[in-house]
């Protein structure tokens, strides 16, 4: 199948491109390198050095013998999006090409507006270009479990059957997202649903949990094929930050009480979920939603797991609770369904002691590159505290 990966230079986009290419799909990657600019803006970089996308594509050809087309293109530019679809004629588009950080979207007015304009206009351009030149193409769009928030009822996969005043209907599941970034994903979902309904496009919206993991079978083939690993307050996830803090001899900083429960999955499962979505496409006009995660943890449980594994490696780690920079429930009910990808054949790689140990060991190999001053949170959600405050407070 001909698959276009939008955001193909990213943490998930690049490994997905190699994974699908290795399985015989004809793959093209598209990116405008915005992430690399945001990194410079924040003076952060991935812990493990990564090559440029041009060099990665070249290295992939040397290592695998397979070619990949490369589009340097901004999804906000309708002309280049259309041109990419006309030239490459994809049968599936995997759309990762968005600003992916909640804290980034909460820094200030500019970044909130940028996040929504970037994410919404990129997706809208893809939808219009599909309508114009690839109406049978399948859009596999990366959304997030954060679209749902943490309601006090079970979370369904995209839709809920409701009875109201004696009448029944199946409607989109209510969304209560927790940042301007998460809101951008909700707005995208509405736009995609609408386009499928009116233009008979087909799409799978993958409401993905937090992804962890550094290596895939393909990144391990050559150091030039490595993917990014962020651990800073803006682009790093809690698990990545904890691994780096453990290796650097810093306390593992848990936001608030740490009872925030979320869905997680291994990067290898992300690749498999995308593949399963592609090879089992929806019907024309169908918009479907899969909740893409394999297990849930709360933040304190994650910190405890890292602490335990780090101790096995001789690291003496303590956990510190910080005042929560976000506005979110710190104890809550959380029971989202995640059956549909399992039914299609996903066999999860769960977060094991072995995997955590290998993450800690990989981080330790690059310990000399850790910048300790980029880990603690300064971006806050609360308007009574400065948005980019300088001193995170320990919670007593
Ligand atoms: N990584 C996770 O844990 C996670 C969890 C849930 C959802 N997601 C979603 O999955 C997608 C990929 O996440 P990631 O972690 O790989 O992020 P990433 O930032 O590493 O990759 C995103 C890529 O998209 C590119 N991009 C952004 N705007 C663009 C534009 N206008 N035109 C062209 N390219 C553009 C960036 O340069 C970057 O290379 C994102 O949409 C993210 O919201 C990620």
């Amino acid at each position: 199948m001909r698959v276009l990966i939008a955001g193909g230079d990213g943490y998930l986009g690049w490994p997905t491109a190699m994974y699908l290419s290795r399985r015989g799909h004809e793959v093209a990657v598209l990116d405008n390198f915005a992430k690399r600019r945001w990194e410079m803006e924040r003076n952060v970089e991935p812990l493990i050095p990564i090559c440029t996308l041009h060099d990665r594509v070249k290295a992939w050809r040397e290592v695998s013998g397979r070619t990949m087309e490369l589009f340097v293109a901004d999804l906000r530019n309708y002309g280049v999006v259309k041109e990419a679809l006309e030239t490459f004629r994809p049968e599936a588009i995997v759309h990762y090409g968005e600003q992916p950080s909640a804290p980034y979207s909460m820094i200030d007015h500019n970044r909130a507006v940028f996040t929504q304009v970037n994410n919404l206009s990129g997706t809208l351009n893809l939808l219009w270009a599909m309508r114009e030149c690839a109406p049978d193409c399948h859009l596999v769009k990366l959304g997030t479990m954060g679209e749902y928030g943490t309601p006090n009822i079970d979370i369904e996969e995209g839709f809920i059957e409701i009875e109201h005043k004696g009448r029944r209907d199946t409607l989109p599941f209510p969304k209560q997202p927790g940042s301007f970034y998460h809101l951008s994903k909700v707005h995208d979902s509405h736009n995609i649903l609408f386009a499928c309904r009116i233009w008979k496009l087909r799409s799978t919206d993958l409401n993905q949990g937090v992804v962890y993991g550094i290596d895939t079978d393909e990144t391990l083939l050559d150091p030039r094929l490595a993917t990014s690993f962020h651990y800073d307050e803006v682009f790093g996830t809690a698990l990545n930050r904890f691994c780096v803090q453990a290796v650097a001899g810093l306390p593992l900083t848990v936001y608030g009480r740490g009872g925030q429960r979320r869905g997680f999955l291994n990067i290898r499962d992300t690749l498999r979920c995308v593949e399963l979505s592609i090879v089992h496409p929806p019907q024309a006009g169908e918009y479907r939603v899969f909740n893409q995660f394999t297990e849930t943890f709360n933040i304190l449980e994650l910190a405890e797991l890292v602490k335990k594994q780090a101790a096995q490696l001789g690291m003496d780690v303590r956990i510190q609770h910080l005042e929560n920079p976000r506005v979110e429930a710190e104890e809550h009910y959380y029971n989202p369904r995640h059956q549909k990808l399992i039914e299609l054949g996903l066999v999860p790689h769960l977060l094991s002691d072995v995997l955590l140990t290998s993450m800690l060991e990989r981080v330790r190999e690059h310990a000399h590159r850790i910048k300790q001053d980029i880990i603690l949170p300064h971006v806050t959600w609360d308007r009574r505290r400065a948005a980019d405050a300088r001193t995170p407070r320990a919670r007593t």
Side-chain angles (χ1 to χ4, degrees):
M1 200 180 284
R2 301 170 67 81
V3 187
L4 175 67
I5 314 283
D9 190 41
Y11 166 57
L12 299 175
W14 174 241
T16 305
M18 293 189 287
Y19 176 90
L20 294 176
S21 168
R22 203 177 185 191
R23 275 151 192 80
H25 298 284
E26 200 171 325
V27 172
V29 282
L30 179 153
D31 210 291
N32 68 344
F33 312 127
K35 180 62 169 284
R36 296 185 188 241
R37 283 199 300 280
W38 305 327
E39 287 167 7
M40 279 194 272
E41 204 183 282
R42 304 298 298 168
N43 194 25
V44 302
E45 58 190 351
L47 183 69
I48 300 168
I50 54 167
C51 290
T52 64
L53 187 54
H54 291 78
D55 287 344
R56 287 165 148 183
V57 167
K58 196 162 149 234
W60 179 244
R61 193 170 57 236
E62 284 168 25
V63 170
S64 71
R66 297 194 60 88
T67 55
M68 255 184 222
E69 201 158 334
L70 166 54
F71 294 95
V72 178
D74 189 330
L75 291 170
R76 290 171 302 172
N77 181 333
Y78 183 59
V80 298
V81 171
K82 215 168 148 227
E83 199 180 309
L85 264 60
E86 276 164 356
T87 348
F88 185 65
R89 291 177 290 105
E91 292 156 283
I93 299 171
V94 183
H95 180 18
Y96 289 114
E98 298 201 332
Q99 194 296 99
S101 157
Y104 187 88
S105 75
M106 300 301 290
I107 293 174
D108 57 16
H109 161 265
N110 264 337
R111 272 44 165 255
V113 172
F114 171 81
T115 298
Q116 294 214 353
V117 170
N118 185 66
N119 295 1
L120 268 75
S121 60
T123 299
L124 265 178
N125 283 342
L126 279 172
L127 291 168
W128 275 93
M130 282 169 62
R131 172 190 185 265
E132 289 301 299
C133 34
D136 292 325
C137 179
H138 171 200
L139 177 66
V140 178
K141 165 68 172 39
L142 270 291
T144 155
M145 285 301 295
E147 291 183 40
Y148 299 115
T150 52
N152 201 28
I153 57 171
D154 288 2
I155 296 173
E156 304 300 326
E157 298 201 60
F159 294 88
I160 183 169
E161 199 179 314
I162 295 181
E163 187 173 332
H164 180 62
K165 296 183 179 171
R167 300 183 67 81
R168 301 188 77 78
D169 204 348
T170 301
L171 298 169
F173 196 91
K175 305 285 178 79
Q176 302 182 91
S179 74
F180 288 116
Y181 153 71
H182 290 102
L183 276 154
S184 75
K185 297 286 189 184
V186 173
H187 304 326
D188 275 343
S189 294
H190 288 145
N191 287 341
I192 300 168
L193 169 63
F194 182 69
C196 289
R197 186 148 55 82
I198 59 168
W199 297 330
K200 299 285 174 267
L201 300 182
R202 65 187 88 213
S203 178
T204 306
D205 204 348
L206 295 174
N207 281 346
Q208 181 169 246
V210 184
V211 186
Y212 61 82
I214 301 176
D215 297 317
T216 68
D217 290 350
E218 290 74 29
T219 63
L220 288 172
L221 292 173
D222 189 297
R224 293 171 297 170
L225 302 176
T227 194
S228 50
F229 176 89
H230 288 96
Y231 62 96
D232 60 278
E233 61 150 328
V234 167
F235 296 116
T237 58
L239 184 60
N240 289 7
R241 288 199 307 272
F242 294 158
C243 288
V244 169
Q245 286 173 319
V247 168
L250 299 167
L252 313 188
T253 45
V254 168
Y255 296 171
R257 289 202 293 280
Q260 304 90 318
R261 183 164 289 277
R262 301 288 183 264
F264 289 82
L265 76 162
N266 190 302
I267 186 169
R268 292 169 191 269
D269 289 341
T270 292
L271 310 188
R272 177 73 176 137
C273 290
V274 166
E275 179 187 27
L276 286 168
S277 303
I278 290 174
V279 299
H280 300 284
Q283 303 294 315
E286 187 184 350
Y287 165 81
R288 64 183 182 182
V289 180
F290 296 159
N291 289 347
Q292 180 170 306
F293 68 96
T294 57
E295 53 192 327
T296 69
F297 297 98
N298 75 33
I299 299 302
L300 190 55
E301 285 168 359
L302 275 186
E304 300 281 6
L305 283 174
V306 173
K307 181 177 161 155
K308 185 178 121 218
Q309 273 330 108
Q312 301 284 323
L313 295 173
M315 302 173 199
D316 184 18
V317 171
R318 95 189 154 80
I319 295 174
Q320 182 186 18
H321 290 260
L322 292 184
E323 193 172 335
N324 194 343
R326 304 181 177 208
V327 176
E328 62 186 358
E330 291 179 10
E331 307 281 348
H332 56 86
Y333 180 76
Y334 198 60
N335 189 26
R337 282 180 64 79
H338 54 111
Q339 296 309 311
K340 291 185 183 172
L341 284 157
I342 304 276
E343 282 161 18
L344 286 181
L346 174 67
V347 181
H349 296 78
L350 299 180
L351 181 59
S352 61
D353 292 351
V354 178
L355 193 117
L356 259 185
T357 303
S358 82
M359 275 180 79
L360 286 162
E361 281 171 343
R362 290 281 274 138
V363 169
R364 196 153 60 173
E365 283 166 29
H366 298 274
H368 58 284
R369 287 174 51 88
I370 296 174
K371 290 181 172 183
Q372 296 198 4
D373 60 338
I374 62 174
I375 305 173
L376 292 182
H378 298 93
V379 179
T380 80
W381 271 225
D382 185 342
R383 73 183 166 85
R384 286 163 303 179
R385 284 188 272 155
D388 214 349
R390 285 286 143 221
T391 40
R393 278 170 286 186
R395 193 156 166 144
T396 47

